[in-house]
Amino acid sequence: MASGQIGYNWHKNRWVSGIELDANGAVSDGTNTCLAASGFILSSNCKAGPNVFTTGTGRVGYAFGALGHTLAYLQGGVAW
């Protein structure tokens, strides 16, 4: 298994925004028996497991509190 992550945050006054990308890879190739519900159906081998999983996210938030060390934010993204 291997993974990597990169991201950056921008800070202006008390507003914070950022982006992040990460990728994860694993040797997860394998087979599994499928379509073997009964003796009348011939069983077959199916490939199982993704090799790479990647996500991208963006966020925007606001720092508050006496010293501005508390951050409330919204985050959303995609995976492929």
Side-chain angles (χ1 to χ4, degrees):
M1 177 184 265
S3 65
Q5 180 179 14
I6 188 168
Y8 191 79
N9 290 315
W10 293 272
H11 187 228
K12 182 167 178 145
N13 298 326
R14 290 189 175 232
W15 288 97
V16 179
S17 61
I19 59 171
E20 188 174 301
L21 297 171
D22 66 65
N24 301 289
V27 178
S28 60
D29 288 336
T31 58
N32 192 10
T33 303
C34 54
L35 301 174
S38 71
F40 298 109
I41 299 175
L42 297 174
S43 64
S44 160
N45 288 334
C46 299
K47 185 177 177 181
N51 292 331
V52 177
F53 185 77
T54 306
T55 64
T57 59
R59 67 185 153 273
V60 62
Y62 187 77
F64 62 95
L67 299 175
H69 291 168
T70 303
L71 179 66
Y73 65 94
L74 295 173
Q75 181 170 343
V78 296
W80 62 94

